[in-house]
Amino acid sequence: MTVETLDEMNPPSSRDSIEDAGAARSAPPISSASSFVPVDPFEIVVFGGTGDLARRKLMPSLFHRFCDGQFSSDSKIIAVSRSKHSRQEYLDMMRAAYDKYSKDDVCADKEWEAFAKIVDYVAIDVMDVKANWTGLAERLSQPDEKIRVFYLAMPPRMFADVCRGLKATGVVSSNSRVVLEKPLGTDYKSARAINEGVGEVFAEDRIYRIDHYLGKETVQNLLALRFGNILFEPLWSNSAIDHIEITAAESIGVGGRGAYYDGSGALRDMVQNHLLQLLCLTTMETPASLSADDVRTEKIKVLRALRPITPESIGHVTVRGQYTRGHIENESVTDYLSDVGLDRSSTETYVAIKASIENWRWAGVPIYLRTGKRMASRRSEIVIQFKSVPHSVFGAETHLNANRLVIRLQPDEAVRLWLEIKEPGAGGLRLKTLPLNLTYADNFTVRYPDAYERLLMDVVRGNLSLFMRRDEVEQAWHWVDAILAGWDSTNQRVELYPAGEDGPLEAEDMLKADGRNWSKD
Ligand code: BG6
């Protein structure tokens, strides 16, 4: 990770925090020192160029960074897809998608015109062995002239074949790199096969396995919070922490992705990658540096220390659910089966897991993970629930709430530390639980870039810190495979939950059995 990441989170000056503490609430947001360091000219080939990801994320992200001046017209974007379109038709499609999905962003026609000049389109059916790839080769510059990025925004079963196609066409230059979209496979075996296939063409340090959660500002802030402050680290273990919750709740359903989703489910779609990455960043040891390998080495140690979930334990430590129809923000929404057009399906749209890390730091601290679609609201957060004080001096009638640190990742990005304080006024020593509340909205004016913007530029810069190494992905599959096998062998029920609620009641019961509740903030 570059220092640029942490620079963007400059704390207020000491004058602000000490002399002017009382005025903090009315103080203007901190002006950002954020700046865009130009990258070398590059050419990026986007396979799956007409797909959802290209329309919603990749093209808008490249456009934004072009507008921000991070790269110039010396760079080139070549979209590849099976369908035949002229270059202009493709551009019209991308512009319409930009207007639809990035509606809060300002897109000046003049800037779009300049951007459009560096975008090209070529139709290739990559699954057709007889397909002619020369159209792609012709559009690229001399090998080694520019950084070359191949972005595979397509089903992972095609990754290895596309890499072989690139090699056979002679377009893999010494400064080429490949970006693999998640999910990488459907289990350990398929992930390994993909890694082997891609590895025949690209060396490990040329392979960028994307987990877009790692590109989110607030996820990178986990490193700043944990390793940029002395406060937390001494308490960051089973000596002071009771449990941890990691939640990624979505109010959306499966949308138009039913075919993919029904073969995947929440465990593969969200837990194997995003939630486990959050778990790693929250619980890993302090890395020697923020270099890619130092961070990734610490993450893999956590994954290796995860207690395997067995058929004997699975019923107690996992809950799977599927949404039925319900209401979200007063709108009625359909059930999962109607959304995917099936009469029956046991695919989970919700999963809750009690994970345990078997090492000295975390022994005895449950890490509760949960994610679901069609939940009451969109909310991703990490809750660090501290232990109660060992002895209360306030008397039996005073209830003390244990401290809690809430890291809200999205939306309403914030860090909230709940403390006990004395309520002012007469009438004895009364305690109140209140938060130190650091919201991004109050403190920063900078535009939050979409995670893909940063990740795309990191690929061009050759910075692997925010991408997953092969061993990480495979280890995460190992752990997830055992859960899939356990569900299968025990026939674990898929609990139904109405859309617009916080998942199945069984997930509440799982915590209640441990004498705990999911945090409400
Ligand atoms: C994707 C999943 O990786 O992440 C989707 O495939 C999910 O199912 C999405 O909706 C959530 O991402 P975000 O950034 O909206 O939290």
Side-chain angles (χ1 to χ4, degrees):
M1 175 171 311
T2 58
V3 177
E4 185 203 338
T5 316
L6 302 182
D7 277 354
E8 286 171 6
M9 292 155 195
N10 283 338
S13 69
S14 54
R15 191 178 164 281
D16 285 342
S17 46
I18 299 172
E19 291 174 23
D20 205 18
R25 226 177 298 152
S26 54
I30 300 155
S31 65
S32 167
S34 157
S35 62
F36 295 95
V37 182
V39 294
D40 291 336
F42 62 91
E43 35 200 20
I44 179 167
V45 182
V46 180
F47 287 89
T50 53
D52 213 42
L53 188 74
R55 289 167 197 249
R56 284 177 192 249
K57 298 288 185 184
L58 303 181
M59 285 299 162
S61 294
L62 288 166
F63 176 54
H64 285 153
R65 290 297 167 119
F66 178 78
C67 295
D68 290 330
Q70 196 160 19
F71 63 90
S72 65
S73 312
D74 294 341
S75 294
K76 196 162 187 186
I77 300 163
I78 302 162
V80 180
S81 179
R82 198 169 39 176
S83 26
K84 300 230 179 309
H85 297 290
S86 69
R87 182 174 162 275
Q88 192 52 49
E89 281 166 357
Y90 181 73
L91 285 168
D92 292 346
M93 212 188 302
M94 290 302 119
R95 175 65 206 244
Y98 183 87
D99 291 342
K100 181 168 172 198
Y101 299 120
S102 310
K103 40 185 179 296
D104 296 335
D105 299 315
V106 186
C107 170
D109 288 343
K110 210 167 99 227
E111 286 159 338
W112 180 266
E113 270 168 36
F115 176 70
K117 288 198 180 108
I118 65 168
V119 180
D120 206 346
Y121 179 80
V122 54
I124 303 176
D125 182 351
V126 294
M127 294 321 280
D128 178 357
V129 282
K130 294 204 200 97
N132 187 347
W133 291 45
T134 46
L136 172 61
E138 283 160 6
R139 284 168 170 82
L140 291 167
S141 57
Q142 287 304 308
D144 304 332
E145 197 183 312
K146 286 182 185 159
I147 292 162
R148 192 170 283 174
V149 178
F150 299 105
Y151 197 118
L152 311 192
M154 57 199 337
R157 63 189 145 76
M158 300 179 174
F159 288 171
D161 285 339
V162 173
C163 290
R164 287 186 200 111
L166 291 170
K167 191 173 176 193
T169 317
V171 292
V172 180
S173 56
S174 64
N175 55 14
S176 291
R177 42 210 78 165
V178 66
V179 186
L180 308 180
E181 253 305 325
K182 68 148 271 272
L184 204 90
T186 50
D187 55 13
Y188 170 74
K189 201 165 150 232
S190 55
R192 219 180 125 83
I194 292 168
N195 281 328
E196 305 259 303
V198 174
E200 285 167 20
V201 180
F202 293 94
E204 179 62 25
D205 66 355
R206 300 291 162 138
I207 304 176
Y208 291 72
R209 298 179 188 82
I210 276 220
D211 182 316
H212 78 276
Y213 264 54
L214 296 182
K216 289 182 190 274
E217 289 288 344
T218 43
V219 174
Q220 292 165 40
N221 185 44
L222 285 171
L223 297 177
L225 201 66
R226 285 195 60 198
F227 306 124
N229 296 293
I230 190 79
L231 280 184
F232 300 116
E233 202 49 26
L235 300 178
W236 212 256
S237 71
N238 49 14
S239 64
I241 292 177
D242 177 75
H243 71 273
I244 297 176
E245 293 170 30
I246 301 179
T247 299
E250 298 183 275
S251 54
I252 55 166
V254 294
R257 301 161 74 222
Y260 151 74
Y261 196 90
D262 199 62
S264 169
L267 183 67
R268 291 187 176 98
D269 186 51
M270 293 291 287
V271 177
Q272 190 273 343
N273 33 79
H274 306 325
L275 268 73
L276 285 185
Q277 286 294 318
L278 294 178
L279 180 148
C280 286
L281 292 177
T282 307
T283 58
M284 69 184 187
E285 296 298 316
T286 316
S289 76
L290 291 185
S291 77
D293 267 330
D294 283 346
V295 173
R296 301 192 301 181
T297 297
E298 293 310 331
K299 287 196 287 171
I300 183 100
K301 286 186 199 160
V302 175
L303 293 170
R304 287 203 187 113
L306 280 175
R307 181 185 298 161
I309 292 180
T310 60
E312 291 70 41
S313 66
I314 197 153
H316 307 291
V317 298
T318 69
V319 173
R320 48 197 311 227
Q322 188 183 90
Y323 62 82
T324 56
R325 66 200 161 85
H327 288 84
I328 296 184
E329 287 174 2
N330 296 327
E331 300 256 326
S332 74
V333 293
T334 45
D335 63 340
Y336 174 73
L337 293 179
S338 317
D339 287 356
V340 293
L342 294 170
D343 294 333
R344 286 173 46 190
S345 166
S346 57
T347 297
E348 77 289 351
T349 59
Y350 175 99
V351 59
I353 302 175
K354 176 181 171 184
S356 308
I357 300 173
E358 297 188 310
N359 64 19
W360 277 35
R361 191 190 275 258
W362 295 114
V365 179
I367 324 266
Y368 299 104
L369 309 173
R370 65 175 162 170
T371 182
K373 298 227 180 264
R374 286 283 190 232
M375 310 263 288
S377 57
R378 178 172 183 247
R379 178 165 65 110
S380 293
E381 69 186 14
I382 299 172
V383 177
I384 311 292
Q385 178 63 60
F386 290 95
K387 291 184 171 170
S388 306
V389 294
H391 166 72
S392 171
V393 296
F394 301 100
E397 62 288 356
T398 302
H399 175 73
L400 284 180
N401 284 313
N403 299 134
R404 191 163 73 229
L405 176 68
V406 180
I407 305 163
R408 174 59 79 94
L409 305 175
Q410 63 185 24
D412 307 326
E413 294 79 358
V415 178
R416 233 169 252 131
L417 179 61
W418 290 84
L419 302 170
E420 294 295 275
I421 63 157
K422 179 189 175 301
E423 197 176 335
L429 188 64
R430 283 166 289 115
L431 297 186
K432 202 164 171 61
T433 313
L434 286 174
L436 283 178
N437 194 1
L438 189 167
T439 67
Y440 276 47
D442 284 348
N443 286 285
F444 301 106
T445 49
V446 67
R447 167 177 83 82
Y448 305 154
D450 187 273
Y452 279 94
E453 291 186 31
R454 172 169 192 114
L455 295 174
L456 281 163
M457 292 300 105
D458 272 358
V459 178
V460 175
R461 272 192 284 251
N463 182 0
L464 279 154
S465 299
L466 299 177
F467 298 84
M468 292 177 294
R469 208 165 57 189
R470 172 177 179 165
D471 51 357
E472 267 181 87
V473 175
E474 292 179 4
Q475 189 64 37
W477 273 122
H478 255 314
W479 191 70
V480 162
D481 275 2
I483 302 177
L484 290 166
W487 282 346
D488 205 35
S489 66
T490 62
N491 257 325
Q492 186 163 320
R493 271 164 54 111
V494 179
E495 314 293 347
L496 299 179
Y497 62 97
E501 300 206 354
D502 265 343
L505 290 175
E506 285 74 7
E508 304 287 333
D509 295 342
M510 186 171 83
L511 266 72
K512 283 205 179 101
D514 291 347
R516 301 185 174 101
N517 291 301
W518 293 101
S519 150
K520 296 291 175 218
D521 174 272

